[in-house]
């Protein structure tokens, strides 16, 4: 099942070096774990959370003008003390690098550089309301198409972007296809990457390449196996596309 549950092959350092600046993070405890460790999880347990966060911090320390978005959007088996442990971990590792929650429209690279902020932490739990450096999860909506059909995915992504104008927040376009149980059974030996992601990549990349950033356009783009094709370079190039009438830089 690992082939179907793993959605990336690169670690944090590899993804950061390649240009990734947003991370979809799902946190879990392990049953009967006497140490109450926290783990990244996606069906299976992955690395310890503190190790991954330290890895990201090492990159940020070496690259003082880089900014990352950490989106803690699923929690499994976590009690109040687990959340308290995670919040303290974030404080200990990132400290003053974390940008307190403000209006999304106020956040720019210029603002972040002036304040020496490098980390925005989004936390999809009521805990976020109690901690100044945790941005409420609703400020990072990520509509999920839940389909294996590339055409339906693209229709969903386009409709979601149009809807974004009402939200006044950050916004994620998940360029991700989700396998059904029958798909997994048929391709049990191959896995998510080969059975779905690679085959659908051309159509998905065509859609991404035609998007524009801005208030009525694309914002954050996520995908499985980000090293495939030209995904990273295509998304980065979108930063240099401006609405008609604005100067190119």
């Amino acid at each position: 099942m690992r082939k179907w549950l793993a959605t990336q092959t690169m670690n944090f350092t590899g993804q950061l070096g390649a240009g990734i600046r947003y991370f979809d993070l799902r946190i879990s405890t392990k049953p009967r774990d006497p140490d109450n460790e926290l783990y990244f999880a996606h069906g299976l347990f992955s690395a310890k959370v503190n190790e991954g966060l330290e890895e990201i911090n090492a990159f940020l320390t070496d690259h003082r003008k880089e900014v990352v978005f950490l989106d803690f959007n699923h929690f499994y088996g976590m009690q109040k003390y687990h959340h308290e442990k995670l919040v303290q971990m974030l404080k200990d590792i990132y400290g003053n690098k974390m940008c307190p929650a403000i209006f999304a429209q106020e956040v720019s690279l210029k603002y972040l550089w002036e304040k020496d902020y490098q980390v925005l932490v989004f936390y999809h739990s009521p805990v976020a309301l109690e901690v100044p450096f945790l941005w409420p999860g609703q400020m990072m909506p990520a509509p999920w198409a839940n389909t294996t059909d590339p055409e339906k995915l693209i229709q969903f992504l386009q409709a979601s972007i149009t809807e974004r104008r009402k939200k006044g927040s950050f916004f994620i376009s998940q360029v991700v296809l989700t396998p059904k149980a029958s798909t997994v059974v048929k391709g049990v030996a191959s896995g998510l990457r080969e059975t779905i992601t690679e085959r659908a990549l051309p159509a998905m990349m065509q859609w991404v390449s035609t998007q524009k950033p801005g208030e009525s356009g694309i914002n954050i783009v996520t995908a499985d196996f980000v090293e495939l094709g030209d995904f990273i370079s295509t998304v980065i190039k979108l930063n240099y596309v401006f609405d008609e009438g604005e100067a190119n830089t």
Side-chain angles (χ1 to χ4, degrees), residues 38 49 53 72 75 78 80-95 98 121 123 125 127-128 130-134:
L38 301 177
V49 172
L53 298 183
F72 294 86
F75 301 99
M78 288 184 60
K80 182 180 179 182
Y81 60 90
H82 292 114
H83 285 285
E84 290 172 349
K85 179 175 181 174
L86 181 52
V87 168
Q88 188 61 49
M89 192 184 299
L90 289 164
K91 285 182 183 177
D92 293 343
I93 294 173
Y94 297 117
M98 290 186 290
V121 179
Y123 210 84
S125 162
V127 173
E130 305 168 9
V131 183
F133 63 76
L134 296 181

Side-chain angles (χ1 to χ4, degrees), residues 51-249:
E51 294 174 355
L53 298 183
E54 290 279 13
E55 192 177 338
I56 294 170
N57 189 51
F59 176 87
L60 295 175
T61 299
D62 289 340
H63 303 82
R64 300 299 300 184
K65 284 200 167 184
E66 295 299 330
V67 177
V68 298
F69 295 78
L70 306 182
D71 189 5
F72 294 86
N73 54 60
H74 287 73
F75 301 99
Y76 305 103
M78 288 184 60
Q79 304 300 322
K80 182 180 179 182
Y81 60 90
H82 292 114
H83 285 285
E84 290 172 349
K85 179 175 181 174
L86 181 52
V87 168
Q88 188 61 49
M89 192 184 299
L90 289 164
K91 285 182 183 177
D92 293 343
I93 294 173
Y94 297 117
N96 292 332
K97 288 188 176 85
M98 290 186 290
C99 177
I102 56 175
F103 291 110
Q105 293 89 335
E106 296 179 19
V107 180
S108 66
L109 281 175
K110 183 175 182 292
Y111 170 82
L112 296 171
W113 289 340
E114 287 175 351
K115 302 286 187 179
D116 290 327
Y117 294 143
Q118 291 184 273
V119 183
L120 280 75
V121 179
F122 294 82
Y123 210 84
H124 295 245
S125 162
V127 173
L129 302 176
E130 305 168 9
V131 183
F133 63 76
L134 296 181
W135 293 62
Q138 63 262 33
M139 294 191 72
M140 184 65 84
W144 176 41
N146 191 19
T147 181
T148 57
D149 186 332
E151 185 175 334
K152 288 182 180 177
L153 171 63
I154 289 168
Q155 291 173 355
F156 178 87
L157 290 169
Q158 198 61 54
S160 297
I161 285 179
T162 303
E163 204 176 288
R164 177 198 168 205
R165 300 176 189 177
K166 306 172 186 175
K167 299 193 181 293
S169 64
F170 296 96
F171 187 80
I172 298 171
S173 295
Q174 294 194 67
V175 188
V176 171
L177 292 170
T178 305
K180 300 176 183 176
S182 58
T183 309
V184 175
V185 171
K186 290 177 184 176
V188 67
S190 53
L192 177 66
R193 176 173 175 146
E194 183 180 333
T195 305
I196 293 183
T197 309
E198 289 182 349
R199 293 180 183 179
L201 191 66
M204 295 192 295
M205 288 312 305
Q206 173 62 28
W207 180 81
V208 173
S209 66
T210 60
Q211 299 308 300
K212 288 185 177 182
E215 285 295 319
S216 60
I218 210 162
N219 185 209
I220 294 171
V221 188
T222 65
D224 294 333
F225 308 108
V226 291
E227 74 277 11
L228 289 177
D230 298 322
F231 172 76
I232 295 174
S233 60
T234 300
V235 173
I236 290 174
K237 285 177 184 175
L238 293 177
N239 288 285
Y240 302 97
V241 176
F242 291 86
D243 292 334
E244 190 174 340
E246 292 187 29
N248 290 330
T249 59

Side-chain angles (χ1 to χ4, degrees), residues 24-44:
D24 173 338
L25 304 174
R26 305 172 187 211
I27 312 301
S28 181
T29 60
K30 277 187 179 179
R32 297 176 296 281
D33 179 5
D35 297 324
N36 285 315
E37 285 285 359
L38 301 177
Y39 296 86
F40 296 114
H42 190 253
L44 297 172

